[in-house]
């Protein structure tokens, strides 16, 4: 199953959410840094022995190999401290220039992973080079902060997505995660109402708690255990809804294929 996490605008916490969600995922999982603006995951996460990850092993090599038709995910996986397997992103946006036609086949490579792939695709705009990969994911989850502008940009991005042609496959199942204070259930309700009024049938899957200290640990700004933190506990609550969202599209895709073959 391929799950992509994105923002509509700003930096609401996509990388932090993707990183923590992958680290609490109960089955086999790989975290892919596919942010075209340049990846943060390799900057935040050293190898278990404390050495930096190899920047030449990762998305760029995978994309080059996919272009040659020989890509395989396994050689591009590196293990980070804590045991999570990751695919490092690009170091600068220019590195993805000219990679255009490769993304649809790269989605196929990611899908061959035996477990779940969680991919951080950064800010999703109509000209994002990774849009074909996003459109071939099972679930596309937007991360948003509960602000007027956060909601407004999200609504417009979701509206735009309803006009996008995903080709021969069904669109990814769409969902939203809000990064918000633990007691703030009102924001989730407001967001659901706003989307409903806009005619957007997109579920709000839940919240990632605002927990700056733990987010700082994830970003390697401070060191301490966060296993029982609000950030990790709230991410655990999201595993079920995110997985169910991805599975709903997998079922839709199977039905779609059956119809095509008839
Ligand atoms: N749950 C959270 N609680 C508190 N702070 C958070 C949380 N998630 C992210 N942050 C903070 O918000 C800032 C942006 O986070 P992050 O880099 O994950 O966002 P992003 O959407 O991936 O941004 P970018 O667009 O730069 O890739 C960072 O300072 C991070 O520590
Ligand atoms: Mg990011």
């Amino acid at each position: 199953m391929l799950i992509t996490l994105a923002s509509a605008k700003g930096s609401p916490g996509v990388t932090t959410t993707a990183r923590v969600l992958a680290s609490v995922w109960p089955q086999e999982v790989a975290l892919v840094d596919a942010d075209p603006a340049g990846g943060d995951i390799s900057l935040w996460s050293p190898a278990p022995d404390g050495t930096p990850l190899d920047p030449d092993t990762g998305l760029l090599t995978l994309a080059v190999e996919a272009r040659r038709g020989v890509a395989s995910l396994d050689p591009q996986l590196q293990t980070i401290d804590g045991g999570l397997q990751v695919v490092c992103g690009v170091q600068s946006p220019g590195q993805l220039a000219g990679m255009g036609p490769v993304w649809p086949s790269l989605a196929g490579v990611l899908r061959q992973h035996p477990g779940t792939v969680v991919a951080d695709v950064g800010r999703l705009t109509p000209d994002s080079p990774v849009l074909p990969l996003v459109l071939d994911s099972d679930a596309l989850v937007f991360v948003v902060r509960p602000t007027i502008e956060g909601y407004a940009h999200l609504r417009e991005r979701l509206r735009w997505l309803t006009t996008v042609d995903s080709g021969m496959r069904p669109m990814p199942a769409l969902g939203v995660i809000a990064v918000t204070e633990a007691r703030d259930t009102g924001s989730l309700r407001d967001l659901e109402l706003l989307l409903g009024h806009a005619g957007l049938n997109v579920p709000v899957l839940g919240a990632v708690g605002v927990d700056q200290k733990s987010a700082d640990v994830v970003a390697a700004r401070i060191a301490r255990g966060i296993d029982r933190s609000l950030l990790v506990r709230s991410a655990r609550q999201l595993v079920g809804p995110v997985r169910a969202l991805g599975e709903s599209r997998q079922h839709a895709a199977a039905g779609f294929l059956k119809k095509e073959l008839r």
Side-chain angles (χ1 to χ4, degrees):
M1 187 189 320
L2 174 58
I3 293 162
T4 47
L5 267 75
S7 61
K9 198 172 175 225
S11 299
V14 181
T15 307
T16 306
T17 303
R19 169 77 172 76
V20 179
L21 189 64
S23 65
V24 299
W25 201 261
Q27 284 92 27
E28 185 172 354
V29 67
L31 173 64
V32 176
D33 191 337
D35 186 339
D40 285 327
I41 287 164
S42 60
L43 302 174
W44 290 356
S45 315
D49 64 3
T51 58
L53 300 183
D54 172 12
D56 294 329
T57 302
L59 189 71
L60 191 58
T61 309
L62 196 63
V64 171
E65 288 186 351
R67 210 148 66 160
R68 292 172 36 225
V70 294
S72 158
L73 188 60
D74 270 9
Q76 305 310 325
L77 289 170
Q78 299 187 70
T79 303
I80 58 174
D81 200 14
L84 181 64
Q85 293 208 295
V86 304
V87 174
C88 291
V90 295
Q91 289 166 294
S92 68
Q95 289 181 300
L96 292 178
M99 287 286 176
V102 86
W103 298 107
S105 56
L106 208 56
V109 176
L110 298 185
R111 288 175 165 288
Q112 279 162 23
H113 182 70
T116 300
V117 171
V118 175
D120 171 2
V121 297
R123 192 177 297 185
L124 188 62
T125 55
D127 60 354
S128 170
V130 296
L131 182 59
L133 185 143
V134 171
L135 293 179
D136 204 5
S137 60
D138 295 299
L140 165 58
V141 178
F142 279 92
V143 178
V144 68
R145 295 270 180 158
T147 60
I148 290 172
E149 62 277 19
Y151 285 0
H153 293 302
L154 172 68
R155 185 184 54 194
E156 293 317 309
R157 206 54 42 87
L158 290 170
R159 274 193 176 135
W160 158 69
L161 274 167
T162 63
T163 69
V164 171
D165 179 5
S166 63
M168 293 295 288
R169 293 177 142 265
M171 281 292 280
L174 301 175
V176 181
I177 289 174
V179 178
T180 187
E181 299 293 339
R183 290 173 301 257
D184 178 20
T185 49
S187 286
L188 302 186
R189 225 179 17 249
D190 290 350
L191 178 54
E192 214 142 36
L193 279 174
L194 178 103
L195 297 178
H197 284 148
L200 295 160
N201 187 19
V202 178
V204 179
L205 304 173
V208 168
V210 171
D211 179 355
Q212 190 60 60
K213 278 211 175 101
S214 302
D216 284 344
V217 172
V218 172
R221 289 188 279 258
I222 50 174
R224 66 170 202 184
I226 57 167
D227 265 10
R228 290 199 235 168
S229 66
L230 172 65
L231 182 60
V232 170
R233 282 186 284 121
S234 56
R236 281 203 187 100
Q237 303 275 323
L238 286 165
V239 169
V242 171
R243 188 169 42 200
L245 191 71
E247 284 170 354
S248 71
R249 194 267 199 176
Q250 282 187 322
H251 294 148
F256 195 75
L257 196 66
K258 253 195 218 155
K259 252 201 316 237
E260 289 291 310
L261 292 175
R262 244 188 248 145

